Amino acid sequence: MSTVHVFDHPLITHKLSLMRDKNTGAKEFRELLSEISMLMAYEITRDLPLETVEIETPICSTQAKMLSGKKLAIVPILRAGLGMVDGIMSLVPAAKIGHIGLYRDPETLEPVEYYCKLPVDAQEREILLVDPMLATGGSASAAIGFLKKRGCHNIRLVNLIAAPEGVARIQRDHPDVNIFVAGMDSHLNEHGYIVPGLGDAGDRLFGTK
Ligand code: PRP
Ligand code: URA
């Protein structure tokens, strides 16, 4: 069974509350999402392996530790996942970026794929699949399915807010994928929106409504 890690850092919680406020405009919403994504990336990358390398300081040669092993790829689910990329990249600038285009059919709530482009060596990378909202879990489950079909098996799902229904869906469909969220909310409403949530993340991010 995959685990769910809820970040309870006060800075993350405070910024998330600002994002939930309906009076927060698109500019501030984008900045807050980027800041929270950076803070989440700091915690998610805590277990990256290090190796010892020889370096020269201005004073002497010494053995120092640097990141080793698997490299990262960040894969946002379009559109709203794009808002999480810059914050994570500011901490891991060597990561490659893939894109998966999905939208939820407003009637059926089922995900429809319209784009997928991954780094050529995506199969060898640790993938951070990012999307602010995990509602029914249909989009994230489908995106993980696309990644697995293309040979990627080392995947972590990173969401800003999750509903219990979405978490249960991922744990059922992809028990190997651990989930990292900034906030765990109560439930979904009859339109598939997270309650209390923050509304439509894509529209608030890009000012399309
Ligand atoms: C939102 C969100 C997720 C999806 C979550 O995207 O960014 O991708 O809904 O819902 P689910 O868990 O029920 O699948 P949306 O389909 O609104 O597309 P957008 O990012 O282009 O606005
Ligand atoms: N997508 C969103 O953007 N918000 C929700 O609450 C659910 C799905």
Side-chain angles (χ1 to χ4, degrees):
M1 169 77 85
S2 72
T3 59
V4 185
H5 187 104
V6 183
F7 293 104
D8 58 0
H9 192 290
L11 282 177
I12 293 180
T13 306
H14 175 80
K15 288 174 191 292
L16 179 56
S17 298
L18 291 173
M19 290 187 75
R20 290 181 189 276
D21 188 332
K22 68 177 185 183
N23 296 313
T24 297
K27 177 174 181 288
E28 199 185 347
F29 190 89
R30 275 195 298 275
E31 289 167 355
L32 289 163
L33 179 57
S34 190
E35 288 166 11
I36 294 176
S37 303
M38 185 184 69
L39 293 168
M40 290 178 80
Y42 178 74
E43 287 296 336
I44 292 164
T45 52
R46 186 175 283 285
D47 62 353
L48 287 183
L50 293 170
E51 65 183 352
T52 304
V53 295
E54 189 83 19
I55 60 163
E56 294 278 331
T57 77
I59 310 299
C60 66
S61 43
T62 187
Q63 300 211 315
K65 301 227 185 253
M66 288 194 168
L67 290 173
S68 74
K70 284 207 174 62
K71 302 272 187 282
L72 290 179
I74 304 164
V75 179
I77 300 177
L78 305 179
R79 288 176 299 171
L82 287 173
M84 300 179 74
V85 174
D86 283 354
I88 301 175
M89 285 297 279
S90 64
L91 290 192
V92 279
K96 299 272 193 254
I97 305 175
H99 295 88
I100 293 182
L102 284 177
Y103 67 88
R104 262 195 341 174
D105 184 291
E107 301 298 325
T108 65
L109 301 183
E110 285 302 312
V112 181
E113 183 192 2
Y114 60 88
Y115 188 76
C116 184
K117 181 83 179 171
L118 301 176
V120 281
D121 58 352
Q123 304 81 357
E124 293 150 34
R125 290 177 177 266
E126 167 103 36
I127 308 252
L128 299 183
L129 179 65
V130 300
D131 190 330
M133 311 306 276
L134 182 65
T136 64
S139 306
S141 179
I144 294 167
F146 300 149
L147 289 169
K148 288 184 173 174
K149 215 165 61 187
R150 289 163 172 91
C152 304
H153 291 285
N154 209 331
I155 304 165
R156 298 178 191 202
L157 177 61
V158 186
N159 304 113
L160 190 66
I161 300 179
E165 294 90 332
V167 168
R169 171 82 186 262
I170 299 302
Q171 289 181 327
R172 189 193 73 199
D173 295 355
H174 302 287
D176 55 311
V177 175
N178 291 331
I179 307 168
F180 299 84
V181 302
M184 197 55 225
D185 276 10
S186 157
H187 64 282
L188 299 179
N189 69 13
E190 65 277 21
H191 305 293
Y193 278 85
I194 299 175
V195 182
L198 49 68
D200 188 305
D203 283 338
R204 293 198 62 189
L205 200 51
F206 298 111
T208 40
K209 219 174 235 173

